[in-house]
Amino acid sequence: MNEKLTNNIEQDDDAIARKLSQVAEQTHANGQFAAELEQKLRGAHQPKAGWFTTFTQISPTLRWVALMIFLALVLSWSIKSLIPAPQPAAENTPISPDISTPTPGEDPLNPTPAPGEGFYFRGAKLFMNAPLPDSPEQTNIYQVIEAQPATAEYAQSLAQQFGITGDVYLAQGQLPGSSAYMVTDGKQQLVVHGENNYTYTSDMVENNRSYNGIQHENAETIIREFLQSHGFSTNVKMVESGVFGGYTLQQLAPDNLPIEYENYAQPSVRITLTENGEVLGMTVILANYDPNGLGSFGIISAYEAMQILLDDNISAGKMETGHSGPDQNFVPPQIWYHEHADNESVTIYGNISSSKAVDEGIPTIVFIDAVQAVGNTNGMETLDYYTFIETTGQFIVENGVRKFNVESWNRDVQNASIFGGVRREGDQIIVNDQNNGSNTDYILVDPPADLPSEVNFPESAVTVNGAVVDGKLHWTIIDYFADASNMGGGGGGGGGGMGFYQLNLSGKPIPFPTATPAQSGTEYTAAELASFIRYTVQDGDTLGSIASAYNVSMSELNRVNNLSADNVIGVGWVLIIPGVTGPNRLDGEEGTMQVQIFEKPDGRLREAYTFISKKDQIYYQVKGENSTQLQDVANRPIKIWGTISYDEMGSAWLTFEKFESLYPDLQFEVLTGIQENTVVNGADVVLFTTEGTTYIQMISSGGYPDYSTYDDMGEIRLEVLQIPGETYAGYPTLRVFNSGLAVDPSTGQEMQLHRVTEKIEIVPDPYGNQDEYVPPDVTIERVELVYLTNHPAYRDSNNPEAPAGQSYIQPAWHFEGHYSNGDVVDILVQALKQEYLSPELSPYPGPG
Amino acid sequence: MTTLMATQTKEQDETDLAQQAIRDVEAFAKLYRRHMTRVYRYHIAHVGNVKDAEDLTSQTFMAALEGIRSFRGTGSFAAWILGIASKKRLMYFRSSRPEVPLEDAAHYPSPGLPTDKAATQRLQLESVSRALRHISAERAEAIILTYFSGLSNIEAARVLNKTEAAVKMLISRGLQDLRERTSLALEVEL
């Protein structure tokens, strides 16, 4: 009888496993989403070389090219002409009083708690470090207008504004079927994607090397002067640039409220400056809308918005975007760019990008890493975007612009990307590549004079980009990280999340549904639930018979086990019996000890011990005096004595008193053999045959068969423990700890198996410096009323059929701050009063 | 049954790609294309709705892009990026999201499938995702990493910072819990 039940349980699990696999395999992301995310990532990618060229030149193989980290599709400003710039703020009378100077809230129910106190928020505290601003009772709503696509004429006229004298070239647009235009004189470059969606640089080479530009005391003055003198609007507000360096000027609406996107971005003009306070780069992406607005609409106060923010039971009408802050400890690397003298024959390496001219009489323009190539460039224009080449020629200066005059070129050269250390050998500098343990030395040709001659990997590191020719490394860019543990990263985020309601501008309020009451009954904590005994349903049992056997109510049994209303139970089902607790001790229980050691960022170590009981495979976290002794029996079968308790997460704890190693002399070993997947007694197993004996592989605790297998890949090595007398379905068993191929299929070389049982591997602690996961506190540093509009990339992807007319610019309360772990908090609360909202959520991730 | 396919060479290849991706957008695009589906499946299995899954997928890859330098090639790229996915999810999922019915996914017809089959798939995904919320978070995570994201147990162990044995245990108990505590079993054809 028991055997039958066991088989039923296994079959059920198998069937569930199959169902999971099946559902998983059917699940695919929406194709358009995937494509647009790829586009966004390309735009955000910042290679050391060719960043600018990434969004200027395209190859036939790339279907579209992105602009920047906060990529937008085209939304153009409604200003009809940019020469000279009209002032929208002057054209439109603000509808609401100017609210750009927030004053402390005068709400008599002022919620700001005393300093040091905070609001309860997600298991931690939220501190308001900013006053709640006073606000108007109404704001406007604006209608978004579809932007005009780019034309060569528009590009030409913009180029004139910037003072670029050059031809217009074709660039691929940000979306399939769209096109962009590029104007360049070999040094300056303008790429236009659409009305009010373009990027300019005054110096392509410098711009590539200086993504963030230089900080300047008088930046704002310099920038506003530049905008004004070049005929651009100045109805913008300078904001912090965050992840992007340089300067960001946010677009303002006619009533001077800033316009924002939902995912930590805004329509803006982004500018980088040179050392001399000149504009190095300018990227314009502005929202396009009808400045006349749709009227006056009531909004909630900042206080009401804060209540909505704090209440996690309210999930709609707000959006949160979070992202991790930039790595505070990041020290940027020292970087060398290989320079060459002018008018000397040199051989250089780099990536090609080329663009066809709009005017067919004008030749295709070719760049090698942002330097225009002239001379014998025949054939270069047909190369795929970013092809790596070797070329010989001379740098020359033509009309004040530096170019490369090509004598010859070839593409029989591999772009090498080296990562490792440096040492000196005699008068040579050797770079040692440690990429995937390759451990290859290269002589560095023409090393920079001030490159450290000893870089000890892995404490420090260099990355070298270049070409390996005849075993020697010809470098183009070298990064040197004095502290290689700190190579940057962090940042990243975006993704607005949905949550705003659709607008109801009909004039007739729509009723919102009220919440349904929760199911009633004794609320057991997770710990209590974990401590209750389980009962396996037998043939002939009913819910009633089980309930009376244990003296619990049927309704409780039903509720705790999530049964259906008709109380149906099946044979073999394992029910939790509420209110009846299980054993609170283990006495000589057999099982396996597992040990993990974590290293915290501050260097402290944290050990975690887990005991897995053999007979029912229950997982106990182990504590007790002298728990370090347990490290001696890591991965080994033992008997253990101790008391059981449960924590509030429902995890079982064993406070151990003593333990005994069952086979103290038994060794872990590596065996080599052949695997075979088969079914034994209805269960999937892996058979392992070595030296004439066939075993069944078991998981490392011995509880059940091991399922991981290499399909027909020849000889396999296993790291195992063979327990005397342990069998499964008549086969001797091996407890498997690690597995790997015996031979590297690509080289034919024998491979050693990385041993995991010889010593306990120390891994980074996922809890960081905490002892457990502690939700971080939140501090709100800024509260502001803004206008929110759809990020254009999301808008189109979510509903390509929706006419642009459905997208609105609507008011929202913007709360900004930080988590105590440095991550940024960014929450938007829909500000329109409920009478202007529909209970249906917006189909767009953002407002609309 | 999980299958480890030539893990060594695949890992080498991806480490190469990841190094190149620091500078080369094409290399990153390749990695993205290889791993986007598994990241997306991870998220949608957890959140059960398309919009959140897309947002999380986007966040995950943006973070991966930022942090690509720190992928040292010790272990699989899949495990690394799912580690990021899991952190993103934990951050994102602290406020309850409205359960937008997957009817909204009507905007995304599965390519080439008749509508009723697409509807069935949606409902199945919805019920699986809901069921996974009825079991312990760790067990659900182990199941999602292996069944939805296709990680081997060893790779999942990396993501979860546990031993492989622990992962197998979590999966086994998780499947059992799914059977005991949810109606998923009733929907399975035996």
Side-chain angles (χ1 to χ4, degrees):
Chain A
M1 176 84 131
N2 277 340
E3 255 185 71
K4 204 162 106 183
L5 285 176
T6 313
N7 284 344
N8 281 346
I9 291 170
E10 283 174 0
Q11 258 177 32
D12 282 352
D13 281 353
D14 257 5
I16 290 197
R18 270 198 296 275
K19 183 177 180 74
L20 290 173
S21 297
Q22 180 209 339
V23 171
E25 265 150 52
Q26 293 166 2
T27 303
H28 294 278
N30 171 261
Q32 197 154 3
F33 158 76
E36 292 191 1
L37 177 54
E38 181 174 343
Q39 173 190 333
K40 179 176 169 188
L41 291 165
R42 284 170 180 277
H45 188 265
Q46 306 167 38
K48 281 298 167 179
W51 167 73
F52 201 74
T53 57
T54 305
F55 61 86
T56 57
Q57 325 281 356
I58 313 85
S59 93
T61 63
L62 275 196
R63 290 168 61 215
W64 44 86
V65 167
L67 243 193
M68 294 194 64
I69 196 161
F70 302 115
L71 171 78
L73 289 184
V74 177
L75 287 184
S76 69
W77 216 345
S78 65
I79 298 175
K80 294 308 167 197
S81 159
L82 293 170
I83 311 166
Q87 298 290 328
E91 283 174 14
N92 299 284
T93 324
I95 290 183
S96 44
D98 181 72
I99 55 131
S100 50
T101 50
T103 55
E106 289 169 9
D107 199 304
L109 304 168
N110 189 332
T112 315
E117 286 178 26
F119 299 98
Y120 174 79
F121 188 62
R122 298 173 184 170
K125 285 257 163 90
L126 181 144
F127 299 95
M128 288 294 295
N129 272 13
L132 292 172
D134 213 0
S135 73
E137 308 228 325
Q138 295 172 329
T139 66
N140 210 329
I141 295 176
Y142 298 95
Q143 183 104 55
V144 169
I145 298 178
E146 194 72 59
Q148 298 299 313
T151 61
E153 293 72 32
Y154 179 58
Q156 204 51 290
S157 78
L158 266 180
Q160 272 171 17
Q161 255 181 287
F162 282 107
I164 308 178
T165 320
D167 297 309
V168 184
Y169 296 88
L170 273 175
Q172 224 161 59
Q174 292 157 323
L175 271 201
S178 66
S179 46
Y181 295 91
M182 191 254 298
V183 185
T184 181
D185 59 11
K187 185 169 177 194
Q188 298 182 88
Q189 188 187 47
L190 170 71
V191 179
V192 181
H193 294 276
E195 225 179 319
N196 288 296
N197 182 356
Y198 54 86
T199 294
Y200 161 80
T201 180
S202 58
D203 184 335
M204 284 185 278
V205 172
E206 191 51 43
N207 193 53
N208 267 10
R209 300 180 180 186
S210 186
Y211 179 51
N212 291 347
I214 308 288
Q215 297 294 297
H216 239 272
E217 256 181 352
N218 300 324
E220 186 158 0
T221 316
I222 294 171
I223 289 170
R224 285 189 183 272
E225 259 171 36
F226 180 88
L227 291 176
Q228 194 134 39
S229 61
H230 286 74
F232 298 111
S233 163
T234 53
N235 193 29
V236 288
K237 173 182 103 158
M238 191 110 116
V239 296
E240 264 179 50
S241 290
V243 174
F244 167 79
Y247 297 95
T248 302
L249 298 108
Q250 183 173 18
Q251 186 178 3
L252 297 177
D255 51 13
N256 284 329
L257 287 182
I259 304 178
E260 306 223 329
Y261 295 133
E262 71 278 14
N263 60 346
Y264 199 68
Q266 56 281 117
S268 61
V269 176
R270 286 210 175 79
I271 293 197
T272 53
L273 300 176
T274 66
E275 256 166 6
N276 304 327
E278 277 154 17
V279 170
L280 174 61
M282 174 164 147
T283 300
V284 172
I285 306 168
L286 296 169
N288 179 47
Y289 62 97
D290 180 352
N292 291 314
L294 297 173
S296 288
F297 302 86
I299 63 168
I300 60 176
S301 68
Y303 170 62
E304 290 169 298
M306 193 189 70
Q307 299 300 90
I308 292 172
L309 184 164
L310 288 172
D311 187 351
D312 265 343
N313 290 322
I314 302 173
S315 45
K318 57 184 176 181
M319 282 190 292
E320 179 175 354
T321 69
H323 57 102
S324 32
D327 190 341
Q328 301 294 346
N329 297 325
F330 175 60
V331 173
Q334 199 174 347
I335 307 178
W336 291 264
Y337 297 95
H338 205 310
E339 300 285 10
H340 302 270
D342 292 349
N343 303 318
E344 264 178 36
S345 191
V346 290
T347 299
I348 65 171
Y349 301 89
N351 299 89
I352 291 293
S353 52
S354 57
S355 291
K356 280 208 178 74
V358 166
D359 184 339
E360 282 179 8
I362 297 187
T364 300
I365 192 167
V366 178
F367 287 89
I368 305 169
D369 288 335
V371 173
Q372 189 180 353
V374 294
N376 292 345
T377 59
N378 249 327
M380 275 182 173
E381 68 280 356
T382 64
L383 290 176
D384 279 350
Y385 172 66
Y386 222 59
T387 302
F388 190 71
I389 62 157
E390 175 188 78
T391 173
T392 304
Q394 298 189 3
F395 281 97
I396 58 173
V397 177
E398 230 174 60
N399 300 329
V401 177
R402 194 170 192 242
K403 303 181 186 175
F404 190 77
N405 192 3
V406 175
E407 276 163 44
S408 64
W409 66 274
N410 74 82
R411 55 180 306 190
D412 300 322
V413 62
Q414 272 282 73
N415 188 193
S417 197
I418 311 293
F419 176 63
V422 175
R423 67 179 191 278
R424 177 183 282 286
E425 263 178 27
D427 56 2
Q428 287 186 331
I429 299 287
I430 309 288
V431 176
N432 171 259
D433 183 22
Q434 283 292 319
N435 262 332
N436 28 277
S438 80
N439 203 19
T440 312
D441 283 341
Y442 300 97
I443 298 173
L444 189 64
V445 174
D446 194 22
D450 52 346
L451 178 73
S453 56
E454 301 291 331
V455 174
N456 290 318
F457 187 83
E459 294 79 30
S460 307
V462 292
T463 68
V464 182
N465 197 30
V468 174
V469 179
D470 296 330
K472 301 208 177 94
L473 180 55
H474 297 254
W475 64 278
T476 52
I477 302 168
I478 300 178
D479 292 345
Y480 164 57
F481 293 88
D483 178 3
S485 68
N486 199 357
M487 286 174 69
M498 58 188 181
F500 270 33
Y501 294 104
Q502 286 191 39
L503 299 196
N504 165 28
L505 304 178
S506 68
K508 278 183 275 189
I510 304 174
F512 274 61
T514 47
T516 51
Q519 211 188 7
S520 56
T522 314
E523 288 296 325
Y524 294 114
T525 64
E528 286 168 323
L529 278 175
S531 70
F532 297 146
I533 62 169
R534 269 64 172 155
Y535 172 77
T536 307
V537 176
Q538 314 279 328
D539 208 359
D541 284 338
T542 63
L543 198 67
S545 66
I546 298 172
S548 65
Y550 286 98
N551 202 19
V552 301
S553 77
M554 275 178 61
S555 61
E556 266 299 89
L557 256 183
N558 180 310
R559 188 182 66 84
V560 166
N561 289 287
N562 283 321
L563 302 176
S564 55
D566 52 11
N567 292 333
V568 163
I569 52 177
V571 169
W573 286 22
V574 178
L575 301 179
I576 302 171
I577 309 294
V580 182
T581 45
N584 56 7
R585 273 197 65 80
L586 293 180
D587 287 300
E589 186 82 9
E590 270 190 44
T592 310
M593 178 57 57
Q594 291 188 345
V595 181
Q596 293 164 290
I597 302 186
F598 299 104
E599 184 170 3
K600 295 176 173 304
D602 61 19
R604 286 180 298 145
L605 296 178
R606 172 171 75 89
E607 291 105 25
Y609 304 97
T610 311
F611 174 73
I612 305 173
S613 63
K614 180 172 176 178
K615 76 165 189 270
D616 47 16
Q617 296 289 307
I618 293 181
Y619 204 39
Y620 298 91
Q621 297 184 64
V622 181
K623 56 183 177 179
E625 279 174 36
N626 300 326
S627 52
T628 44
Q629 305 166 50
L630 296 168
Q631 293 183 25
D632 299 335
V633 288
N635 294 317
R636 289 184 165 276
I638 61 171
K639 279 182 169 178
I640 200 164
W641 287 255
T643 55
I644 300 172
S645 58
Y646 297 89
D647 66 21
E648 63 223 8
M649 301 293 287
S651 302
W653 286 81
L654 176 66
T655 308
F656 87 102
E657 292 143 11
K658 65 175 181 173
F659 66 93
E660 238 174 59
S661 181
L662 283 176
Y663 304 97
D665 298 326
L666 201 57
Q667 298 298 325
F668 296 94
E669 41 183 349
V670 174
L671 303 177
T672 304
I674 304 287
Q675 288 178 323
E676 188 198 328
N677 303 332
T678 185
V679 175
V680 166
N681 287 3
D684 285 330
V685 298
V686 181
L687 298 179
F688 184 77
T689 304
T690 177
E691 292 177 6
T693 311
T694 299
Y695 302 86
I696 285 186
Q697 292 182 201
M698 304 293 277
I699 61 171
S700 50
S701 66
Y704 52 84
D706 171 47
Y707 294 151
S708 49
T709 174
Y710 289 89
D711 260 347
D712 288 327
M713 302 238 16
E715 278 200 316
I716 304 295
R717 301 204 208 280
L718 300 182
E719 186 176 7
V720 302
L721 193 63
Q722 190 179 1
I723 311 291
E726 224 170 56
T727 63
Y728 183 89
Y731 288 83
T733 57
L734 296 171
R735 295 190 182 187
V736 177
F737 292 86
N738 197 14
S739 57
L741 298 174
V743 169
D744 183 339
S746 58
T747 64
Q749 305 271 16
E750 293 244 329
M751 294 199 300
Q752 294 311 311
L753 183 63
H754 169 62
R755 300 288 302 265
V756 300
T757 57
E758 281 173 336
K759 70 178 202 322
I760 303 169
E761 202 188 320
I762 299 181
V763 293
D765 194 340
Y767 295 152
N769 282 327
Q770 316 270 22
D771 289 327
E772 56 187 4
Y773 178 72
V774 172
D777 290 337
V778 172
T779 304
I780 298 294
E781 291 142 6
R782 202 160 76 139
V783 182
E784 195 185 12
L785 183 64
V786 301
Y787 278 117
L788 201 58
T789 184
N790 271 128
H791 196 292
Y794 285 114
R795 180 162 66 88
D796 284 353
S797 79
N798 278 295
N799 196 351
E801 255 109 79
Q806 279 196 15
S807 200
Y808 299 105
I809 301 185
Q810 62 177 287
W813 283 105
H814 190 190
F815 294 81
E816 285 178 278
H818 287 88
Y819 285 99
S820 53
N821 62 8
D823 289 354
V824 171
V825 161
D826 207 299
I827 303 178
L828 292 155
V829 180
Q830 200 165 17
L832 285 171
K833 287 197 157 142
Q834 203 174 76
E835 64 201 82
Y836 302 112
L837 302 177
S838 142
E840 269 188 63
L841 288 168
S842 168
Y844 312 114
Chain B
M1 186 94 80
T2 54
T3 302
L4 301 160
M5 300 289 295
T7 311
Q8 302 277 40
T9 33
K10 185 182 73 172
E11 280 181 15
Q12 262 176 347
D13 178 40
E14 293 202 313
T15 311
D16 279 343
L17 264 183
Q19 283 298 323
Q20 283 171 42
I22 295 173
R23 295 199 194 289
D24 181 4
V25 67
E26 286 309 317
F28 191 84
K30 237 187 236 175
L31 286 169
Y32 164 76
R33 278 179 234 132
R34 278 194 199 173
H35 295 284
M36 191 276 296
T37 299
R38 62 161 37 106
V39 170
Y40 177 80
R41 282 179 182 169
Y42 171 90
H43 285 307
I44 200 165
H46 270 295
V47 301
N49 74 80
V50 173
K51 266 71 147 213
D52 279 351
E54 288 185 350
D55 287 334
L56 281 163
T57 303
S58 172
Q59 283 188 40
T60 304
F61 277 97
M62 290 299 282
L65 181 57
E66 293 283 344
I68 189 79
R69 279 180 194 280
S70 64
F71 177 66
R72 302 287 191 87
T74 48
S76 80
F77 187 87
W80 182 75
I81 200 161
L82 282 165
I84 296 176
S86 138
K87 287 186 205 104
K88 285 295 164 192
R89 182 184 64 85
L90 286 173
M91 288 292 304
Y92 183 89
F93 223 53
R94 268 173 315 41
S95 69
S96 45
R97 286 283 182 268
E99 279 211 23
V100 177
L102 285 178
E103 278 78 346
D104 278 5
H107 294 306
Y108 313 84
S110 292
L113 279 177
T115 326
D116 48 338
K117 188 155 185 198
T120 314
Q121 282 179 9
R122 267 201 329 267
L123 289 169
Q124 284 184 329
L125 178 58
E126 201 178 357
S127 85
V128 164
S129 173
R130 253 207 275 274
L132 285 166
R133 271 176 254 173
H134 279 97
I135 70 178
S136 92
E138 269 193 334
R139 294 171 185 179
E141 182 78 331
I143 286 177
I144 289 172
L145 287 172
T146 49
Y147 283 91
F148 279 81
S149 296
L151 294 192
S152 67
N153 288 346
I154 294 174
E155 289 173 313
R158 261 230 146 72
V159 178
L160 297 170
N161 252 311
K162 292 191 184 300
T163 61
E164 191 197 349
V167 168
K168 290 171 184 171
M169 163 53 59
L170 287 170
I171 293 173
S172 161
R173 298 296 282 184
L175 291 177
Q176 192 180 351
D177 285 0
L178 283 174
R179 186 171 52 77
E180 294 169 25
R181 305 228 205 124
T182 73
S183 54
L184 208 58
L186 297 173
E187 297 158 35
V188 171
E189 286 125 29
L190 287 169

